[in-house]
Amino acid sequence: MSRWTPKFSSNSLGSLDRERAQMRQAVPVISGYLLRKEARERGTYSRPTPMVCKDLVVQNALYTGNLEAVKEIFSRGFPNDVIIQPQGGAMRWIANGKVRGLWSLTYEQELTTPLHITAGRGFTECLRHLLLRGARVDLAPGGNTALHEACEECQPECAKLLLQYGADVSAKNEDGQMPLHVCTERESLECAKHLIAFGAVVNSQTLDENDTPLHVAARHGLPEHVDLYLRHGAALNLQNDDGHTALNAACSHPQDSRSLERYARVCHLLMDAGADVHISDADKQTPLHMACKNANPEVVDMLLKQGALVNQMDYGGDAPLHNILKVVAYKIDHEPERIVQALLNYGSIRVWPGALPKVLKYCSTSPRTIEALINAYDRLRITDAWVEAIPPEILQKHQEFFESLFALRKTPRSLQHLARHRLRSFLEGRLHTVVPKLGLPTFLRNYLMLAFRDYVH
């Protein structure tokens, strides 16, 4: 039997050769696609690393917001996801095995992108051009996304533009913070509003400290941000890793005299919304302990009216009165005497009489603080140690007050003061509620509440 052999024309053979060639060319493409698909499914695929650019012409166009230059540079064919690597000299402390250390001029490199540069500097049109050219909106070579950068630098229009192009409101930077967590300036309020409008979670927590945006806003004394977050359902009494609620965070943050009012507004908003004034941190310090340590009289008054415990001790055995007495010398412009007065009127423990010379030494720059403390006793044993505790320059500056104080070495307290002390002892812990209801003349009511007279009698 003869075997049948197919016969091909020259045309059919040529067609077959072309098909085989096309298949050979397609194999790498198909294989590459399948490999990338498999990698994406496994979560191991990443796009190619962007090109690093050190060109000063490119950097100058971006850092100055030169729109025409940016359009010319980032035109068709130029990579959109280029990484900028600016360099600059910086003195750093270098340690080695032979000497303790020395200052050396080194070059620190910071990775950024055109999106970061334009977003952080408010160059909205340059940013728009880059986004239209297809730049990756969530690229973060230096740890922050461009959205982090815009919010941190208080550039609301750039933040809004990035969000419109799909920026991730939940992206975390290298410190575990989302864009809402880096809104730490008063001027960043509009950025925060845009983030929430685009779906940012108002109770999201950082990875390192478990801070919420409310913690951050309270810590930085931002009443408008606090109000915004509360209106969008922020959790009031959520504690971070240090045990701080937002109220604890506001009370514990160092405050200069110019920021006292802002922090008072923050605390007022939080307490009006129902913040718990009794929650203590890991060291058992309550908001009242912290407000006394930072010497904010308005916040102390609010906390006391909300029922804060005036004699609660922290782990170190300190009551709120101890905290304010420790900082009087450094917080004179905060009116620390008002805090001491308020604490005593709410039933605070007094200083052990044997420790009064030490208190005089550290609080002598605030005679009114000493006046409030002294008027909490019916009798005192004043010795030479009291006089020696006052620095001569302070003694001279407040001579009239200290002369009235040291005159008590030879004379008893006045009958008027003894009557006051007796009534205060009877009403201890209730003065702030009872005295306003007695219908007393203003002078007598103020006298009972330790009003300042700038001398003792």
Side-chain angles (χ1 to χ4, degrees), residues 310-313 317-322 325 340 343-344 346-352 373 376-377 428:
V310 73
N311 287 321
Q312 185 168 333
M313 302 286 184
D318 287 336
L321 183 66
H322 297 116
L325 293 179
V340 173
L343 293 173
L344 291 170
Y346 273 79
S348 171
I349 58 173
R350 296 173 296 174
V351 177
W352 175 57
L373 287 170
Y377 302 86
E428 187 166 3

Side-chain angles (χ1 to χ4, degrees), residues 211 214-216 218-220 240 244-255 263 290:
D211 278 336
L214 189 62
H215 282 99
V216 174
R219 185 179 299 120
H220 287 86
N240 64 11
H244 286 179
T245 65
L247 181 60
N248 296 67
C251 293
S252 64
H253 195 74
Q255 303 158 27
Y263 281 93
M290 300 166 184

Side-chain angles (χ1 to χ4, degrees), residues 13-32:
L13 288 172
S15 176
L16 183 60
D17 289 339
R18 285 193 299 271
E19 186 177 344
R20 288 173 176 170
Q22 289 173 357
M23 288 182 65
R24 283 195 299 269
Q25 292 174 0
V27 166
V29 176
I30 295 171
S31 300

Side-chain angles (χ1 to χ4, degrees), residues 217-242:
R219 185 179 299 120
H220 287 86
L222 304 175
E224 292 82 6
H225 289 65
V226 168
D227 182 57
L228 174 68
Y229 300 151
L230 290 175
R231 285 190 282 108
H232 284 84
L236 266 175
N237 296 316
L238 190 63
Q239 292 176 272
N240 64 11
D241 288 350
D242 292 324

Side-chain angles (χ1 to χ4, degrees), residues 146-222:
L147 185 57
H148 283 96
E149 200 78 15
C151 294
E152 194 168 355
E153 297 299 329
C154 310
Q155 302 294 347
E157 291 305 314
C158 290
K160 183 179 180 181
L161 186 59
L162 289 164
L163 290 164
Q164 289 172 339
Y165 275 80
D168 185 0
V169 293
S170 301
K172 292 182 175 65
N173 64 11
E174 59 186 354
D175 296 318
Q177 299 169 319
M178 299 179 195
L180 208 53
H181 294 114
V182 300
C183 294
T184 59
E185 302 291 338
R186 301 179 73 178
E187 295 77 12
S188 66
L189 179 63
E190 292 303 314
C191 292
K193 289 180 179 178
H194 291 320
L195 291 169
I196 291 174
F198 278 82
V201 180
V202 78
N203 287 319
S204 58
Q205 294 179 276
T206 60
L207 294 180
D208 51 352
E209 296 291 339
N210 273 322
D211 278 336
T212 66
L214 189 62
H215 282 99
V216 174
R219 185 179 299 120
H220 287 86
L222 304 175

Side-chain angles (χ1 to χ4, degrees), residues 107-395:
Y107 288 91
E108 293 188 358
Q109 297 179 340
E110 178 185 358
L111 298 180
T112 186
T113 73
L115 281 189
H116 288 72
I117 295 170
T118 53
R121 285 160 179 76
F123 301 144
T124 311
E125 293 307 314
C126 293
L127 178 64
R128 190 188 311 277
H129 174 74
L130 294 167
L131 290 168
L132 286 170
R133 289 277 295 113
R136 275 188 280 172
V137 73
D138 289 324
L139 193 62
N144 281 343
T145 66
L147 185 57
H148 283 96
E149 200 78 15
C151 294
E152 194 168 355
E153 297 299 329
C154 310
Q155 302 294 347
E157 291 305 314
C158 290
K160 183 179 180 181
L161 186 59
L162 289 164
L163 290 164
Q164 289 172 339
Y165 275 80
D168 185 0
V169 293
S170 301
K172 292 182 175 65
N173 64 11
E174 59 186 354
D175 296 318
Q177 299 169 319
M178 299 179 195
L180 208 53
H181 294 114
V182 300
C183 294
T184 59
E185 302 291 338
R186 301 179 73 178
E187 295 77 12
S188 66
L189 179 63
E190 292 303 314
C191 292
K193 289 180 179 178
H194 291 320
L195 291 169
I196 291 174
F198 278 82
V201 180
V202 78
N203 287 319
S204 58
Q205 294 179 276
T206 60
L207 294 180
D208 51 352
E209 296 291 339
N210 273 322
D211 278 336
T212 66
L214 189 62
H215 282 99
V216 174
R219 185 179 299 120
H220 287 86
L222 304 175
E224 292 82 6
H225 289 65
V226 168
D227 182 57
L228 174 68
Y229 300 151
L230 290 175
R231 285 190 282 108
H232 284 84
L236 266 175
N237 296 316
L238 190 63
Q239 292 176 272
N240 64 11
D241 288 350
D242 292 324
H244 286 179
T245 65
L247 181 60
N248 296 67
C251 293
S252 64
H253 195 74
Q255 303 158 27
D256 58 28
S257 57
R258 295 170 298 178
S259 63
L260 292 178
E261 190 270 337
R262 285 195 293 112
Y263 281 93
R265 287 173 58 199
V266 165
C267 292
H268 179 72
L269 286 167
L270 293 170
M271 283 186 266
D272 264 8
D276 190 340
V277 301
H278 302 297
I279 295 177
S280 57
D281 66 6
D283 295 321
K284 293 298 179 185
Q285 294 202 43
T286 64
L288 185 58
H289 282 95
M290 300 166 184
C292 289
K293 186 179 293 185
N294 285 310
N296 193 321
E298 296 295 335
V299 175
V300 168
D301 284 341
M302 283 188 280
L303 290 167
L304 291 171
K305 289 176 182 177
Q306 289 292 322
L309 301 178
V310 73
N311 287 321
Q312 185 168 333
M313 302 286 184
D314 63 15
Y315 269 146
D318 287 336
L321 183 66
H322 297 116
N323 279 2
I324 182 60
L325 293 179
K326 289 177 181 178
V327 301
V328 165
Y330 314 105
K331 301 284 187 178
I332 295 299
D333 54 347
H334 289 213
E335 299 181 287
E337 66 274 9
R338 288 176 50 195
I339 296 177
V340 173
Q341 178 193 47
L343 293 173
L344 291 170
N345 285 336
Y346 273 79
S348 171
I349 58 173
R350 296 173 296 174
V351 177
W352 175 57
L356 284 173
K358 185 177 181 180
V359 173
L360 282 174
K361 178 179 179 180
Y362 291 106
C363 299
S364 58
T365 52
S366 176
R368 286 189 166 188
T369 296
I370 296 171
E371 180 185 347
L373 287 170
I374 295 301
N375 285 335
Y377 302 86
D378 59 345
R379 63 178 66 87
L380 291 165
R381 185 172 178 270
I382 298 176
T383 65
D384 290 340
W386 288 46
V387 182
E388 295 168 359
I390 313 281
E393 63 276 12
I394 302 298
L395 197 61

